[in-house]
Each structure stands twice: as C-alpha cells, then as structure tokens.
Amino acid sequence: MTEAKETLNTLTASVIPQRHRPLTHFFFAVLMAAFVAGGILVPPVAVAAEPPTVLITGASRGMGFEFTQQYAEKGWTVIATCRSPAEADALQALAARLTNVTIAAMDVTDSVQIEALAKEYQHASIDVLLNNAGIFGYEHLQTLDVLDYDTFEQVMAVNVYGPLKVSQAFAESVAASNQKKIVTLTTGLGSMTLTEQTGGGYYFYRASKAGVNIVGRALAEDLRDQGILIGLFNPGIVNTDFLKWTTYKGPTIEPEEAVAHLIRLIEGLNEENHAIMTNYDGTPIPW
C-alpha cells in the first residue's frame, strides 16, 4: 500500500493541480480501506522500463538495413543513419511501418555531420553503437599491378576513420547507457595470422580492417574507466551488394542469418570477451 501511495503522489504531483490533491488523496484512502477490509491486496504499480537504444551506421541497405529491422522488431529504439536518407526507400518504408525507427543523415567520413548528430543526441543514452558502414573498394584497383591512391583514401576513410570518429563523438552517450557497447564489423582478411590461408591481394581493404582492429583495442583501453565494452565481430561472407566490389563467387550466408548471429554475440559481450576479434559463430579470430 505504501508503494501504491508513493506512486499516487508522483502522479498527482505531475497532473493534478495543488488545490485538488487533498481530495484525491481522500478518495484514495477510502478506496484502499475498502480493499484492505475486503482482504484484497493492492499490488504496486509497475513502471515500464525504457527500451534500449541502438545507433547503426550504414543502415540503408545490406547488413545495416537488416540490423535495423531485427533490432526494431525486438522492440529497441533504433537510430538508423545513412548518407542519403531521401534515397533510402526501403529504410523509409521500414520507418513508416515501425515507429521505433528514426532515420538520420550521417556520412561517416564527414566529421562536421558526425559531431552535429552527436550533439543532437548528447542527452540520450545509446546502449549499442554499431559501426556497420564499410566499403571494400574495387578489387582491381588494389593489386600489385594497380594501386589507386584515391581508392586507398576512400577505403581508409570509411573503414578506419569513420568508426573511430563516430565512436569518439558518441562515447558519452554510450557511457550514459545501461549496456555501454561499441561494436565494429571486421573480417578475417584483417588477420595477419590468416594471411597464409587467404592469400595476398585486397591490399586497401585488408589494411583498413587491420587498422580498425587496432582502433578497437585502443578504444578498449581509453574507454575502460567509463565501463564501455568493445566488440570486433566478423559477419562472414554475406550475400549483399558489398560483394559487387569483388570477384568472389564462393559460398555466402544470408543477411538475416548473419545479423541474427551477430546480435547474439552483441548480447553476450562482457568484460571477459570484449576487444577480441570474433567470428560470427563465436570462435575467436587470431590477430
């Protein structure tokens, strides 16, 4: 009864004018006496918890779109970012259907745009910051025969600078949340140990993923005191438009399956397993 009365005090203070509150409490006391006299216990009023929030980069298609859809269907508040929201038809349709999806413009290579969005959400709590945006770069422009510098700059900007800058800008919002997780997608092609198995080539993409791996490890150290956990997860070879950059013709997994695996890994991220490069099936990937 005491808890119910405290709840009433909170509610009346916010919605009932001061002059009417004594009368409200009188009727409440009469009602409680009637319930107690009748042997009926009044349960405390349950207050619904706020759903967790995820911010996803590169959300307009592929893995990013699938992350947006699956998190939204789980009831999360989703901030879905992409470079050109007006052109993201599928994402716009999803947001129209699911009211817990908010679309925001953010190019991960544009520091001004990143900082502006971070300022907009500076008082929000972001449980999971998901650095999904990434590019491969055309395969034929990153070989020993052809090393195109413009392609190198673009791949490094999106795949390394982007996750680092986004993580820096939103770190305080992540630290203010319950889950405190920053997750970046990586790949086994960024592993020095596995190079003997995967062969050479893909120079820019490999360098960018090796780079973002060390960025993740450094962030884990710098953000340790804020309790932030770092995830470095490989989704596998996923059947998305991402593969258009390559000549790969081997087996793939579908985005729905890959994202479901990755969400489970994110849910299980803790102090013992964070900042470790991990495959989508949960096995560690050597550096």
Side-chain angles (χ1 to χ4, degrees):
M1 181 171 176
T2 300
E3 293 181 11
K5 186 174 181 180
E6 290 176 353
T7 302
L8 178 71
N9 289 336
T10 301
L11 293 173
T12 55
S14 61
V15 300
I16 298 176
Q18 180 70 36
R19 65 182 181 277
H20 295 318
R21 291 176 197 168
L23 187 60
T24 303
H25 285 276
F26 170 75
F27 282 116
F28 175 76
V30 172
L31 183 62
M32 290 300 99
F35 275 116
V36 172
I40 301 172
L41 296 178
V42 181
V45 178
V47 179
E50 286 290 323
T53 297
V54 57
L55 186 148
I56 302 167
T57 65
S60 62
R61 60 181 184 270
M63 294 279 291
F65 178 81
E66 187 61 32
F67 270 119
T68 299
Q69 181 166 268
Q70 290 198 26
Y71 268 116
E73 290 176 348
K74 287 176 175 289
W76 284 54
T77 296
V78 181
I79 305 167
T81 74
C82 60
R83 287 181 299 167
S84 305
E87 300 173 8
D89 294 340
L91 187 59
Q92 293 286 355
L94 182 66
R97 180 170 63 87
L98 300 173
T99 58
N100 51 335
V101 176
T102 299
I103 302 174
M106 187 174 72
D107 182 337
V108 299
T109 66
D110 186 334
S111 60
V112 174
Q113 203 172 45
I114 293 170
E115 289 171 3
L117 190 62
K119 185 175 182 180
E120 182 178 338
Y121 284 96
Q122 64 183 331
H123 300 302
S125 297
I126 297 175
D127 292 270
V128 175
L129 176 62
L130 183 46
N131 290 308
N132 163 80
I135 62 173
F136 196 96
Y138 284 115
E139 184 179 333
H140 68 278
L141 297 178
Q142 47 183 311
T143 70
L144 281 182
D145 295 324
V146 179
L147 293 172
D148 180 72
Y149 189 76
D150 289 340
T151 300
F152 173 77
E153 280 192 321
Q154 184 184 27
V155 171
M156 296 299 286
V158 174
N159 293 358
V160 184
Y161 178 81
L164 176 57
K165 181 60 184 178
V166 171
S167 298
Q168 177 215 35
F170 288 92
E172 289 188 9
S173 292
V174 175
S177 73
N178 290 323
Q179 297 194 27
K180 307 180 192 299
K181 296 174 180 178
I182 296 176
V183 174
T184 299
L185 299 191
T186 185
T187 173
L189 288 176
S191 164
M192 290 180 285
T193 302
L194 295 182
T195 303
E196 293 181 359
Q197 300 175 25
T198 58
Y202 314 126
Y203 286 99
F204 303 159
Y205 182 67
R206 285 180 187 273
S208 73
K209 289 304 184 179
V212 84
N213 286 342
I214 196 61
V215 162
R217 292 300 293 265
L219 283 171
E221 294 303 317
D222 285 339
L223 301 176
R224 184 185 302 277
D225 291 344
Q226 297 180 55
I228 293 177
L229 303 174
I230 304 297
L232 294 167
F233 298 136
N234 171 35
I237 303 175
V238 185
N239 183 24
T240 68
D241 288 344
F242 190 83
L243 292 180
K244 73 181 181 181
W245 302 90
T246 77
T247 58
Y248 179 80
K249 302 298 181 184
T252 61
I253 61 176
E254 293 304 308
E256 297 84 357
E257 179 185 357
V259 167
H261 282 300
L262 293 176
I263 287 178
R264 284 194 289 271
L265 288 178
I266 294 169
E267 290 172 347
L269 190 61
N270 57 49
E271 292 183 359
E272 283 68 43
N273 63 19
H274 84 125
I276 296 173
M277 189 163 49
T278 306
N279 199 41
Y280 70 94
D281 61 2
T283 58
I285 299 174
W287 298 107

